[in-house]
Amino acid sequence: MANEAHIEHISFFELAKQNMRKLSMFIMLALIMIVFAVMTGGVNLTPRNITNIFIQNSYILILAVGMVLVIIIGNIDLSVGSLIAFTGAISAMLYNTGMGIVLTLILTLVVGGLIGCFQAFWIAYMRIPAFIVTLAGMLLFRGLTYIITNVTPIALRDDGFKRIASGSLRIDGFSIAGNDGLSLVVMILAIVLLIWAMLHERNRKIRKGFTVLSFKYDILKVAVLSLLIIFVFTRFAAYRGIPTVVLVLSVVTALFVFITNNTVIGRYIYAVGGNAKSAKLSGINSERVVFTTHVIMGVLSGLSGLVFTAYMNSALPQAGDGFELDAIASCFIGGAAASGGIGTTIGAITGGLVMGAINNGMSLMNIGADWQYVVKASILLLAVFYDIWSRKKSGLG
């Protein structure tokens, strides 16, 4: 007979205080959007602009999904910007031979994975610090990109590749009240799936006898997330449908949320990041975990390189310059701990959207790149400071 779950009754403010680390990034994103809405007269909330935020930051968000895993195990990867340039050039060359986009995608991911294996070998088994290995990789693959492209952009043979980043998912003629019907249907399905996931997780905890919060708090959580889904998808519906790249990003995000929350390798990644020596003594092959994590980063760098090439509609030798810093900043803003062991895929995505919303808002206000750097640097510094401060306050630091 299953144990009865303990229902925890706490006030809303106590719940918010306990989850402030998780809530802070969402609060920050909401405040940024509201501030820029006031300062731009609501331009940043228009359907076209919301769609552009996702399209223009998709490759950074994909990188952030892999980078947060690397940061969780206590490492860093400085090579991802150069890998975007290199794999982007490879993808353009492959596509221009006449092969289809599916085969190009698969081969590009394989190339990214092989590069990840190369770097992971030196990090995991040769015990060379990830900072040094990926710094060497940053220089190596930037140089190789210049060699294979002859420092000249590679134009794509047609617009088929471009649809990955700029295309939309929609059914011609299917509209509801003048809006894209497919976007609204997907919105409803997403909300239904969210409700099912909440009930499924709650029932699973009850069956196992775990403590669960009062049902009204789960309802509140689902209501807030549902409002967010409605806001985003109604904007998609009012413009040109769901961007193709949002589907790609959704699949990547869902996959790694599942991996980190429900698989052995996911638990091992957090264990190694929390305390590598203890994980080793517990029987975890920490070298294999580190190796796997950096291979995943290589594969996602390849995917990001392909998406960025599609977005630019050509492979640029200078592509990816500084992207590694944006990806790292997204993870720290999203709640990853500089010391490792803490971080989530959703947090990294949210942090990336925070960076994207700031860039977008300042561009709409015609603020120069110089001040944009100052603002982003300040937010990154404050995010890491908040992480250290909150960990010390909670007795974790």
Side-chain angles (χ1 to χ4, degrees), residues 62-63 65-67 69-70 77 79-80 82-84 86-88 105 107-120 123 134 141 256 290-306:
I62 292 171
L63 279 184
V65 171
M67 188 65 74
L69 300 181
V70 174
D77 193 331
S79 68
V80 294
S82 296
L83 292 189
I84 281 183
F86 183 75
T87 56
L105 170 62
L107 292 178
T108 302
L109 296 182
V110 170
V111 170
L114 291 174
I115 294 172
C117 288
F118 169 73
Q119 296 194 133
I123 296 168
T134 58
F141 292 104
F256 283 95
V290 172
F291 184 91
T292 302
T293 302
H294 281 277
V295 171
I296 290 172
M297 185 74 260
V299 172
L300 291 178
S301 295
L303 178 59
S304 186
L306 185 141

Side-chain angles (χ1 to χ4, degrees), residues 214-366:
S214 178
F215 191 64
K216 63 183 179 181
Y217 292 124
D218 281 330
I219 293 294
L220 178 62
K221 179 180 177 181
V222 168
V224 172
L225 292 175
S226 297
L227 288 175
L228 178 61
I229 291 172
I230 291 170
F231 172 76
V232 172
F233 277 87
T234 52
R235 293 303 185 272
F236 290 160
Y239 184 42
R240 59 180 190 182
I242 304 171
T244 306
V245 76
V246 169
L247 174 62
V248 175
L249 181 61
S250 298
V251 171
V252 170
T253 302
L255 174 62
F256 283 95
V257 166
F258 176 80
I259 289 174
T260 53
N261 292 337
N262 299 282
T263 66
V264 173
I265 184 62
R267 292 192 292 271
Y268 284 0
I269 286 172
Y270 281 100
V272 170
N275 192 317
K277 290 183 179 179
S278 296
K280 188 77 173 177
L281 292 173
S282 300
I284 296 174
N285 189 331
S286 57
E287 291 85 4
R288 183 179 299 170
V289 172
V290 172
F291 184 91
T292 302
T293 302
H294 281 277
V295 171
I296 290 172
M297 185 74 260
V299 172
L300 291 178
S301 295
L303 178 59
S304 186
L306 185 141
V307 170
F308 184 71
T309 299
Y311 175 68
M312 301 302 295
N313 204 28
S314 65
L316 306 176
Q318 70 274 24
D321 185 28
F323 285 8
E324 63 279 351
L325 303 181
D326 286 335
I328 293 169
S330 298
C331 296
F332 287 136
I333 291 172
S339 56
I342 296 175
T344 63
T345 300
I346 296 298
I349 293 293
T350 307
L353 289 174
V354 167
M355 295 288 285
I358 292 170
N359 290 335
N360 177 263
M362 290 191 293
S363 296
L364 291 175
M365 294 177 63
N366 294 318

Side-chain angles (χ1 to χ4, degrees), residues 138-199:
M138 179 177 71
L139 301 174
L140 171 62
F141 292 104
R142 181 65 64 183
L144 289 176
T145 302
Y146 289 158
I147 292 171
I148 65 175
T149 62
N150 197 27
V151 201
T152 303
I154 301 175
L156 297 170
R157 61 186 175 88
D158 57 43
D159 289 337
F161 205 99
K162 184 179 179 180
R163 295 193 186 97
I164 297 175
S166 303
S168 297
L169 300 172
R170 61 183 303 154
I171 300 175
D172 292 336
F174 178 36
S175 63
I176 300 175
N179 295 309
D180 175 57
L182 181 61
S183 299
L184 299 178
V185 169
V186 171
M187 176 189 74
I188 294 171
L189 291 176
I191 294 173
V192 171
L193 180 61
L194 179 65
I195 295 171
W196 175 85
M198 182 272 289
L199 294 174

Side-chain angles (χ1 to χ4, degrees), residues 8-18 216-217:
E8 186 174 0
H9 296 280
I10 60 177
S11 70
F12 174 80
F13 293 103
E14 288 175 333
L15 179 65
K17 184 178 179 180
Q18 291 178 11
K216 63 183 179 181
Y217 292 124

